[in-house]
Amino acid sequence: MSSEASSFPTSQHRSILHVITGLEVGGAETVLAHVARASMESGQRILVAAIRGGGGIDDRLRAAGVPLVYVQRGSAPADSRVGFLQLLRECARFSPDVIVGWMYHGVVLAEVVGRSLGRSVPVVWNFRCTIDDSPNWPLPTRAIIRMLGYWSGRARKLIYNSEAGRQQHEQYGYACPRSIVIGNGVDTNRFAPDPQTRALLRAELGIGRDTVVFGHVARFHRMKAHPLLLEAAELANFSREVCIVMAGKDVDASNAALAEHVERLKRKCRVVLLGPRSDVHRLMNAFDVLCLTSSGGEGFPNVLAEAMSSGVPCISTDVGDAARIIGTTGSVVPPDDPRAFAVALERAASWSSEERHARASAARTLVVEKFSLQQMISAYDELFTCVTRE
């Protein structure tokens, strides 16, 4: 077992144990890092326990001084039984006031840890997605979702990051009276309009000042439905010069699933495939409109709020809480409907400069007022205070 939990800060405040399966870069893991870091800075005692380490998030946590304990690093071989027992001992030594399980496997592990302590410790369950796409998930994960539905009455609180996620889980029998929705938070200082960066990025990408840029940022995965954007662009009749910029893991020229669409679009508009980017907060400034094409499985799509905070209005399929996030600042269309998405693209391409700027300003204002990072952190702090006083 790899452990970085040899010392904890002395504090009279509560002790919070966060339990998660792995620490790869992802939505749930990123939110955990924000919450844990903020708790540490406010004087709380924090421990993050995971089966797997070695992901990008553990680097962020370590840099913030958050103690970590895991059974194994990455995919390296390990005696899982011995490592697991050592993890339980570290958690017992930490003596938490509250345990937070993140996502399904993390919730199961949190319940096991809680019961191993031999005393009553409130366990909070934290879910970060909808389950409308669950028929396509691995059978073991689907079995865990069903099992947790039967167990959900044991949770002190159930946290969802979207109203859609709460509704879908409750339809699966998850306990209703104990649920709360805390939307994801965006660092509105990091994701902010920057005209200079916009000019630099467009020059780097060879994009003209007056070209309408539709951006798409997501790893290549079936549920992200990348081809939908390209199919919609084929159907659309644009009155202005248009460019599509797509970024994300495996979103590059070697992707055969995209290459055919890109080839067909050459006569109509330019398509730029950038692959993974570590500077998404900068890249957003190159866009005029951000597109989300997911077919399902989304709870609170971070990319929408990040784009809006950057002053970029959005077109999205109606998944998760997309409609609640976008409000009246952009467009929401049915999933898996290229023609409806094409109409939305046509309308956005025809916006005057004044209308686009008005939508951009309204989008940023909405995120600053409803979905800021500080609002999310405050909501978690209030929840932990409430749970430990019950």
Side-chain angles (χ1 to χ4, degrees):
M1 182 187 74
S2 173
S3 174
E4 297 173 7
S6 58
S7 63
F8 300 101
T10 301
S11 172
Q12 298 301 313
H13 295 284
R14 59 181 170 260
S15 301
I16 305 172
L17 170 63
H18 295 278
V19 183
I20 195 165
T21 306
L23 291 169
E24 299 83 5
V25 175
E29 296 82 359
T30 299
V31 172
L32 184 156
H34 283 309
V35 172
R37 179 175 180 174
S39 297
M40 283 281 291
E41 291 175 350
S42 67
Q44 313 304 308
R45 296 176 66 241
I46 303 297
L47 175 63
V48 173
I51 294 295
R52 299 187 306 272
I57 295 299
D58 60 1
D59 292 334
R60 298 186 199 178
L61 291 167
R62 193 181 302 110
V66 177
L68 308 175
V69 55
Y70 13 65
V71 174
Q72 66 183 61
R73 283 185 177 275
S75 57
D79 185 338
S80 58
R81 179 182 177 185
V82 172
F84 182 68
L85 292 175
Q86 289 179 333
L87 181 142
L88 294 181
R89 284 196 291 270
E90 288 280 3
C91 293
R93 188 174 71 85
F94 180 69
S95 188
D97 298 313
V98 60
I99 303 172
V100 186
W102 294 73
M103 294 301 292
Y104 306 112
H105 297 82
V107 165
V108 172
L109 180 56
E111 284 289 339
V112 171
V113 170
R115 290 179 177 275
S116 74
L117 296 178
R119 60 186 177 87
S120 179
V121 180
V123 180
V124 175
W125 296 10
N126 198 337
F127 300 123
R128 319 299 303 169
C129 63
T130 55
I131 50 179
D132 48 353
D133 195 47
S134 61
N136 295 306
W137 295 359
L139 182 60
T141 301
R142 283 182 277 160
I144 289 174
I145 293 173
R146 289 288 186 185
M147 177 186 71
L148 290 177
Y150 292 117
W151 285 3
S152 58
R154 302 179 181 183
R156 183 63 59 90
K157 282 285 186 180
L158 277 71
I159 306 174
Y160 302 98
N161 71 344
S162 67
E163 289 289 351
R166 172 161 67 178
Q167 292 170 12
Q168 290 181 20
H169 281 82
E170 288 178 355
Q171 289 172 1
Y172 265 62
Y174 283 69
C176 305
R178 299 175 181 270
S179 66
I180 183 174
V181 173
I182 301 178
N184 293 351
V186 177
D187 185 341
T188 56
N189 292 320
R190 180 176 174 81
F191 288 90
D194 186 340
Q196 184 176 2
T197 297
R198 176 183 174 86
L200 287 172
L201 280 169
R202 285 194 164 220
E204 289 175 12
L205 298 173
I207 298 172
R209 177 180 176 181
D210 297 325
T211 300
V212 178
V213 177
F214 292 107
H216 189 283
V217 179
R219 75 188 192 282
F220 190 79
H221 188 277
R222 176 194 52 76
M223 65 169 277
K224 298 296 183 181
H226 288 70
L228 175 65
L229 175 57
L230 303 178
E231 291 169 8
E234 289 182 56
L235 295 172
N237 293 312
F238 296 120
S239 58
R240 298 173 60 184
E241 183 176 349
V242 165
C243 178
I244 296 173
V245 177
M246 307 180 80
K249 183 180 179 182
D250 298 323
V251 182
D252 52 39
S254 66
N255 189 320
L258 296 177
E260 182 180 350
H261 294 286
V262 172
E263 183 64 29
R264 288 204 301 266
L265 273 170
K266 279 185 175 179
R267 296 182 180 180
K268 177 173 285 188
C269 65
R270 183 179 171 213
V271 179
V272 180
L273 304 180
L274 296 177
R277 298 281 295 214
S278 60
D279 63 341
V280 172
H281 64 290
R282 295 182 66 251
L283 184 62
M284 289 291 186
N285 284 280
F287 303 159
D288 292 295
V289 180
L290 186 282
C291 298
L292 186 142
T293 53
S294 297
S295 58
E298 302 280 3
F300 187 109
N302 285 341
V303 71
L304 295 179
E306 291 169 351
M308 292 166 63
S309 181
S310 303
V312 180
C314 300
I315 299 172
S316 176
T317 48
D318 191 6
V319 292
D321 273 13
R324 183 169 73 96
I325 297 166
I326 292 173
T328 60
T329 67
S331 300
V332 178
V333 301
D336 305 315
D337 189 338
R339 190 162 297 280
F341 213 101
V343 171
L345 292 176
E346 290 174 358
R347 290 174 179 168
S350 67
W351 289 341
S352 65
S353 177
E354 292 76 17
E355 182 174 3
R356 198 199 81 79
H357 285 300
R359 288 179 179 271
S361 178
R364 177 164 171 81
T365 297
L366 190 156
V367 171
V368 170
E369 292 181 351
K370 293 186 176 181
F371 304 117
S372 73
L373 182 60
Q374 188 53 53
Q375 286 171 313
M376 181 191 75
I377 288 170
S378 296
Y380 271 96
D381 185 68
E382 182 179 345
L383 173 69
F384 294 150
T385 299
C386 176
V387 167
T388 53
R389 286 179 178 175
E390 289 180 353

